[in-house]
Amino acid sequence: MGGGAAGIGAAGAARQADPGAAVTVFTEYEDVAYSPCGIPYVHGKEIPSFEALFLQTKEAYVKAGIDVCYETRVSSVDTTRREVQVEGRGTVPYDRLILATGFDYADPGVPGGDLGGLYYVKNIRRAMEWDRVLDSVKTAVVVEASPLGLEMITALAHRGITVHVVDPHPWALAELADPDIMRPVEESWAEMGITTHFGTRVEAFLGEGTVRAVRTTAGEIECDLAVICTHKQPNARLAAAAGLALGSTGGLVVDERMATSAAGVFAAGDCTELPHGVNRVPIACLTGSHAYAQGKVAGTNAAGGSRVYQPVYVPWGMVAGTWMVGGASFGETLATALGIPFVMGVADGISRARYYPGVRKVRVKLLAEPAGHRLIGAQMVGGEGIKERADFLGVAVRTGITLEDLATMENVYSPPIGALNEPISVAAQNALASLRR
Amino acid sequence: MRARFSRWLRVNSEHYLLESAQAEMAKRYLGRSVPATERGLVPGLWRHLFVPMYHRLPQRLRQSAIEAMPGSHRRHWSEPPPRPHIPGIQ
């Protein structure tokens, strides 16, 4: 159930594990196998067309023996009888069920939520329609500087649209990133003409039929469009109605095989919750790459194979304004919120040799356990190489690498791609130096 | 019922713990205090009772409380293999 990264990953893996298995995918949407994460970049004109976001044709699934049922809604699940109710088709039995029902945006919960002109970025067909609307939009309000919000803010500004950002937090991406990491991003937004309203709540969407303004705690902002980028919540409604166990995140409880609390039912992607590798706190709604990898595990196990997933360390990264930001596991804000003790090292370095054209600043923050100095997280802002550093640091946290290991690490030095001093290493050296003081 | 309670506790504790940490970070890095955007008795109780109490609890107790909540962390997850150690080499 579900045609996103998790559902399609699961379907492919199930066929691979058991080529004789009859695999059916139910999706409410018109398409599968496209990259919804690419939608903001088509809106921003970095990518010329939505067609580029499709990874497979519908025929490819027919050839692969996967029966994809488009625009088909499953209305209920009965795990005792091992059957699902499908609208327009009746009862469909199964041997194994994989739930990959994705996420919903948190409801802003304010009046005017039913007006036209409120854009929830999700489905590519709707995105194609919205893209035509964007041609006539002069002013847009982006509600919350979440990960998607960051991408949409930049995309709309690239499109020449006047952008206002309304966010209840004190800085952008404040549920994930630290203020010093986000400061260059916010400065670049200001240079791009983007107006930010932090510490501000949306009180209502105003208009007759279509939104014409957003009323906030800091006043009214006139607009032609509001893009709702509130945080993602697991969509586990059908599973909950079927009696499957949900965790504190609202996501489906799963084990390392992605098996749920019901026999023969697996789950993957944004509808599930996974334990964090550092403190075991379950978290939900991670990235597309997490969803796809979980889908592979769920699909393999559902078809009789054997594969396990692992607790997550969540490397992340994105382009925001004229910068790239990223990190892994805990930042300073989140560790402080959770009361996790840490020591910290910060370094301001450069992305390539200081004399090489295109050199950008890179700020790296490392957090480590006070005893033993094992890395527990990192945050970064820079112009390039942030994704690769985030991937590396995610593995570093996972494998228990220490500040001492990083302080003495070897690094690539080549003027066009890397500076003499690697900022990760300098941040670790600075952390150790501060401990000696 | 237990799942609903743990969801309620998670949503609220996450919100107010994060709000408190954000206020601390804003003071440290942005040089300004952050006024609370929600007022009233209930937010006040979370801010002035729950948050300080949470931070006063010993880390081990906090971790035990988190682990006692229902969720995926209570199902089976293999521990990562121990880090290889080569004698004589740090």
Side-chain angles (χ1 to χ4, degrees):
Chain A
M1 284 168 54
I8 288 298
R15 284 286 296 182
Q16 214 167 10
D18 179 359
V23 178
T24 306
V25 176
F26 292 113
T27 174
E28 294 177 9
Y29 299 114
E30 301 91 332
D31 309 283
V32 295
Y34 64 86
S35 167
C37 305
I39 291 172
Y41 305 100
V42 183
H43 287 329
K45 303 279 190 196
E46 282 90 355
I47 298 169
S49 79
F50 284 99
E51 281 65 38
L53 304 187
F54 284 91
L55 312 166
Q56 283 288 5
T57 59
K58 291 186 175 178
E59 292 72 36
Y61 291 101
V62 176
K63 273 189 193 157
I66 297 168
D67 178 18
V68 182
C69 304
Y70 301 94
E71 299 181 77
T72 306
R73 186 182 291 268
V74 176
S75 56
S76 68
V77 173
D78 186 334
T79 58
T80 311
R81 291 170 181 264
R82 297 204 177 202
E83 58 191 30
V84 294
Q85 287 297 322
V86 181
E87 287 179 9
R89 291 183 183 221
T91 303
V92 176
Y94 66 80
D95 297 315
R96 299 281 187 277
L97 176 68
I98 302 163
L99 299 165
T101 45
F103 73 95
D104 292 317
Y105 291 107
D107 182 356
V110 296
D114 55 348
L115 286 174
L118 304 188
Y119 178 19
Y120 292 83
V121 182
K122 200 172 187 184
N123 177 326
I124 197 163
R125 297 286 176 119
R126 302 297 85 73
M128 289 171 182
E129 293 163 13
W130 279 107
D131 200 63
R132 288 189 283 276
V133 173
L134 291 180
D135 287 334
S136 59
V137 169
K138 299 237 175 336
T139 305
V141 171
V142 175
V143 178
E144 294 197 19
S146 59
L148 172 70
L150 260 64
E151 292 169 346
M152 284 303 293
I153 291 161
T154 309
L156 294 173
H158 282 174
R159 189 77 176 242
I161 294 168
T162 301
V163 181
H164 289 263
V165 184
V166 178
D167 191 297
H169 302 292
W171 63 86
L173 207 63
E175 290 186 347
L176 178 64
D178 296 336
D180 55 325
I181 296 299
M182 296 309 293
R183 186 181 294 161
V185 173
E186 292 176 13
E187 286 170 357
S188 76
W189 282 348
E191 286 162 14
M192 294 164 77
I194 294 159
T195 310
T196 54
H197 309 263
F198 291 116
T200 304
R201 285 185 181 279
V202 172
E203 291 183 330
F205 298 105
L206 308 174
E208 293 76 37
T210 302
V211 70
R212 65 162 174 78
V214 178
R215 194 176 76 219
T216 75
T217 49
E220 222 172 275
I221 305 165
E222 293 206 1
C223 64
D224 313 305
L225 169 80
V227 186
I228 314 301
C229 301
T230 47
H231 63 262
K232 298 197 301 183
Q233 294 178 331
N235 171 10
R237 284 186 299 277
L238 282 182
L244 273 72
L246 303 187
S248 62
T249 62
L252 276 156
V253 170
V254 291
D255 65 13
E256 65 180 1
R257 300 179 68 246
M258 305 308 292
T260 68
S261 58
V265 182
F266 297 80
D270 290 335
C271 64
T272 67
E273 62 167 38
L274 287 301
H276 195 289
V278 172
N279 65 353
R280 300 278 151 168
V281 171
I283 50 177
C285 293
L286 303 171
T287 67
S289 64
H290 287 95
Y292 187 66
Q294 289 165 27
K296 290 275 183 201
V297 172
T300 302
N301 292 326
S306 179
R307 213 161 153 176
V308 296
Y309 200 65
Q310 67 285 316
V312 290
Y313 295 85
V314 204
W316 61 274
M318 70 195 67
V319 173
T322 56
W323 294 89
M324 289 182 205
V325 289
S329 283
F330 295 105
E332 190 181 359
T333 309
L334 207 49
T336 303
L338 288 168
I340 296 171
F342 62 88
V343 293
M344 196 171 75
V346 183
D348 290 305
I350 47 177
S351 61
R352 47 178 83 172
R354 63 180 167 72
Y355 51 80
Y356 203 90
V359 60
R360 297 290 303 267
K361 286 180 185 172
V362 180
R363 184 177 178 84
V364 174
K365 269 172 101 167
L366 300 178
L367 281 76
E369 292 172 346
H373 303 165
R374 283 191 314 181
L375 199 68
I376 61 163
Q379 299 235 320
M380 292 167 288
V381 57
E384 59 192 335
I386 296 300
K387 179 254 188 288
E388 292 79 6
R389 286 186 177 92
D391 286 345
F392 162 68
L393 289 167
V395 174
V397 178
R398 181 176 164 185
T399 52
I401 281 179
T402 64
L403 290 175
E404 284 80 357
D405 293 324
L406 294 173
T408 54
M409 69 184 267
E410 297 170 86
N411 65 281
V412 173
Y413 169 50
S414 176
I417 57 171
L420 197 59
N421 292 309
E422 166 52 45
I424 290 173
S425 185
V426 180
Q429 290 161 24
N430 289 345
L432 293 172
S434 72
L435 287 171
R436 285 192 291 269
R437 278 200 288 271
Chain B
M1 187 65 185
R2 191 160 168 248
R4 200 173 294 174
F5 171 74
S6 72
R7 175 97 185 106
W8 171 83
L9 184 61
R10 167 81 184 245
V11 167
N12 283 286
S13 57
E14 199 169 87
H15 175 78
Y16 289 102
L17 288 169
L18 199 56
E19 182 192 79
S20 162
Q22 286 170 347
E24 197 180 323
M25 293 299 123
K27 225 175 254 181
R28 187 175 306 160
Y29 289 105
L30 309 177
R32 60 180 164 88
S33 54
V34 178
T37 54
E38 297 164 300
R39 295 175 200 285
L41 178 66
V42 175
L45 289 173
W46 281 98
R47 275 185 201 115
H48 302 300
L49 280 178
F50 174 80
V51 173
M53 214 164 72
Y54 175 90
H55 284 294
R56 274 193 204 115
L57 283 178
Q59 171 71 5
R60 195 174 298 174
L61 202 59
R62 277 203 299 257
Q63 191 60 32
S64 305
I66 288 168
E67 278 166 19
M69 305 265 282
S72 293
H73 60 299
R74 302 197 63 184
R75 306 281 311 272
H76 181 72
W77 293 86
S78 304
E79 290 297 321
R83 201 176 163 204
H85 176 72
I86 303 167
I89 296 176
Q90 278 293 328

